[in-house]
Amino acid sequence: MPELPEVEVTRRSFADRIAGAVIDGLHLGKPLRWPLGVDARALAGQRVHAVRRRGKYLLLDLDEGLLLLHLGMSGSLNFAPQQPMPGPHDHMDLVTDRGTLRLHDPRRFGAVVWAPAEDAPQAQKLLGHLGVEPLAGAFDAARFHAALRQRSAPIKQVLLAGDIVVGVGNIYASEALFLAGIRPTTRAGKISLPRARRLHQAIIAVLSRAVEQGGSSLRDFVSAEGKTGYFQLEAAVYGRAGQPCRVCATPIRSMVQGQRTTFFCPTCQKP
Ligand SMILES: [Zn+2]
């Protein structure tokens, strides 16, 4: 599944090239997760001003309103001056005077939704519950700690919920908790300020590194159609149950938390 780093890498792959382009037409294939919410013909002639990201949504600012794109479980976007004929899993072509942005999505959990404004109900239904962006200046250690203090659930599940900080998916949560030396089962509200600061730094480090490496992981992702994780070759704990910890050689353990598998080192990560 594309996680925040893959979505950010996708954004960077076409944002500069499509900015300023004029839409010729939006062509949709089989139904995606939600309807577009506007007559697609109304988009023709509008300019794409910028491509922003909020969580795992890409926001294309148009003359009137914005398009919200989500890659779902298996989606990928490609922007090219010429595209081949659409295949059976190509469900959106946004044709512009600079090229065509194509959504390829075999499982069709992706989405293309138009909203009149970012604060309009159509957009807020999708974006309203999202926590702060981990790679933006607004992600502040003291505020992060204060938010964790309000939660009694295990820290791993609080991170995955995405309403305090967005985009820390299963792989990245496991890796960040290892880097911070915090056991995934630790109650969020029990984490001290110094440990919350370490976790804050670890989340930024893990996600930033994944974005830096995104070029190659994104190609893997496209060819594998979302079936494999990224970032796994060098993971400290994720997917390494039974293998020696890279720091202390204790075998890495796995457990199920909220229906997701969690990996941790019982020595390096303290409750
Ligand atoms: Zn260890």
Side-chain angles (χ1 to χ4, degrees):
M1 187 192 316
E3 296 285 351
L4 183 147
E6 288 75 32
V7 177
E8 175 61 18
V9 169
T10 298
R11 189 189 71 79
R12 293 180 186 185
S13 74
F14 73 95
D16 288 348
R17 291 186 292 145
I18 205 172
V22 176
I23 297 172
D24 289 330
L26 175 70
H27 308 290
L28 295 169
K30 289 184 187 146
L32 293 164
R33 189 159 177 188
W34 297 297
L36 178 64
V38 70
D39 184 343
R41 287 171 295 188
L43 304 181
Q46 293 201 44
R47 202 173 284 278
V48 180
H49 292 276
V51 184
R52 297 177 291 130
R53 183 185 54 73
R54 184 73 182 93
K56 297 205 290 186
Y57 286 91
L58 290 178
L59 280 50
L60 276 65
D61 292 312
L62 310 179
D63 286 335
E64 288 177 39
L66 69 163
L67 277 176
L68 295 94
L69 307 185
H70 196 287
L71 300 179
M73 304 287 287
S74 60
S76 58
L77 284 169
N78 172 268
F79 183 66
Q82 299 284 335
Q83 295 278 13
M85 288 290 288
H89 300 304
D90 296 327
H91 304 302
M92 180 207 77
D93 275 352
L94 181 68
V95 183
T96 77
D97 59 350
R98 296 200 189 157
T100 296
L101 182 67
R102 173 168 288 178
L103 174 67
H104 177 85
D105 186 3
R107 296 180 65 181
R108 287 195 284 130
F109 283 101
V112 182
V113 173
W114 180 85
E118 194 173 341
D119 57 7
Q122 298 97 315
Q124 283 303 302
K125 189 179 76 173
L126 308 178
L127 307 176
H129 63 286
L130 298 180
V132 67
E133 285 290 331
L135 299 179
F139 185 39
D140 169 85
R143 263 180 278 170
F144 178 55
H145 177 246
L148 294 182
R149 297 276 293 170
Q150 309 298 317
R151 304 295 174 91
S152 58
I155 180 62
K156 167 92 182 313
Q157 281 158 266
V158 169
L159 292 177
L160 288 192
D163 56 345
I164 292 181
V165 55
V166 76
V168 188
N170 200 34
I171 299 175
Y172 303 110
S174 288
E175 293 294 304
L177 286 166
F178 174 80
L179 264 186
I182 298 172
R183 195 76 64 89
T185 47
T186 305
R187 302 269 158 206
K190 300 283 187 194
I191 293 174
S192 65
L193 180 57
R195 299 183 90 201
R197 285 190 188 283
R198 282 205 295 277
L199 181 56
H200 172 261
Q201 285 305 306
I203 289 169
I204 294 171
V206 165
L207 291 175
S208 302
R209 182 149 173 73
V211 171
E212 278 166 29
Q213 296 183 331
S216 56
S217 66
L218 191 71
R219 279 194 293 277
D220 295 345
F221 156 63
V222 170
S223 62
E225 295 189 336
K227 287 201 180 87
T228 53
Y230 327 90
F231 200 66
Q232 291 190 15
L233 280 180
E234 62 172 61
V237 291
Y238 188 85
R240 298 192 66 240
Q243 297 177 49
C245 171
R246 298 194 199 278
V247 172
C248 73
T250 303
I252 298 299
R253 281 195 205 156
S254 68
M255 60 177 289
V256 174
Q257 259 185 312
Q259 299 168 331
R260 308 299 298 277
T261 308
T262 292
F263 300 88
F264 67 98
C265 171
T267 304
C268 293
Q269 293 174 257
K270 310 292 185 207

